[in-house]
Amino acid sequence: MNDKFYQELIEHIPDGVYFVDRGKRITFWNKGAEKITGYTKEEVVGFCCADNILKHIDDCGHELCLVGCPLSQTLLDKNNLEVDVYLHHKDGHRVPVSVRVSPILNEEGEVIGAVEVFSDNSEKVNQIKELENLRKEVFLDPLTQVGNRKFLEIKLEYRWKEMGLYNIPFGILFLDIDHFKKFNDTYGHEIGDRVLLMVTKTISNLIRGMDVIARWGGEEFVVIVTNVDREKLAKVAERIRIFIEKSWLTVNEENLQVTVSIGATLARKDDTIQSLIKRADELMYQSKESGRNCVTLDENLSSLSSPVSEEERGEKRDISEIKLG
């Protein structure tokens, strides 16, 4: 088999294939490259790919011809390289492609050029976008963009498995925004939505990466707090309560504030999702009955809590100030 056979073979594979010399001038351009980019071989052979042709950019829009060019890297270090980039189509739009670059060596092992093979990644990217959109529709609350009830239930099941296997305790906080219906009636649902976002973002910025916030429904939220004992759970709840109380929206030069009532309890191994949520919900209503804007802690938590260090006991707020259910 001669070189012409191999050239014909490369010419007709569906992937884009092109060769460059040491100066990154294009010396070969197959039909796959023509189809994916819109450029014919007559338009590109003899030119550099950066000459207003491919001009690759990454996910952040950085021009790789300036910094991070895959061809330049391979010509420099002789290593194969794989990367996902966006090339410039002749019609002006960007095309996501998976790129593989390999060096071309002479008999002495010196780099005399490189070959780039690239595949149209549009379908893959679109599938990822569709999956991400589906995930959001299934698991995210559309207004607040935190987890919804289904998402919360999945996370709770996982936490119980974690507790059973590794003895890692967790607790939940059930929060309800005080007088929210009256607030909505007074200021309107648009401002009410802004309040929900304010509360959600405040909580999200206070909890750790391992913790979870979800919207249970309406103005009710549930927070899963992982690897905590009685005192730590109470401190997290009180911190959230204080931060929400000290947040506000400015509307027509008026500062609007809300408070929350919170019920806090640790999960038990014999709990179900229903029993855990019901207990936390009942504790939250005790906070309502106690005047709102407070935390009610499960009175049975003392038998479930782990020893607390002296350093933890010395933190700012004494949890004895928090009401026990």
Side-chain angles (χ1 to χ4, degrees), residues 128-164:
I128 292 172
K129 287 180 179 177
E130 287 176 8
L131 288 172
E132 181 65 18
N133 289 336
L134 181 62
R135 184 187 72 84
K136 288 181 178 180
E137 289 176 8
V138 173
F139 295 118
L140 290 187
D141 175 64
L143 172 64
T144 61
Q145 293 296 293
V146 299
N148 58 17
R149 188 178 294 201
K150 186 175 183 66
F151 177 80
L152 178 76
E153 291 172 350
I154 291 172
K155 288 295 184 179
L156 284 173
E157 292 287 358
Y158 179 81
R159 291 292 178 252
W160 264 303
K161 289 179 182 178
E162 196 175 53
M163 184 166 63

Side-chain angles (χ1 to χ4, degrees), residues 268-286:
R268 302 163 187 168
K269 291 186 177 180
D270 60 349
D271 263 324
T272 63
I273 290 176
Q274 291 73 24
S275 66
L276 179 62
I277 295 293
K278 184 174 184 290
R279 187 165 66 250
D281 186 34
E282 290 171 349
L283 291 166
M284 182 273 293
Y285 272 104
Q286 289 185 41

Side-chain angles (χ1 to χ4, degrees), residues 51-66:
D51 291 334
N52 204 29
I53 303 174
L54 299 184
K55 297 182 74 70
H56 294 132
I57 60 174
D58 63 15
D59 276 329
C60 298
H62 299 135
E63 291 192 19
L64 300 184
C65 295
L66 302 177

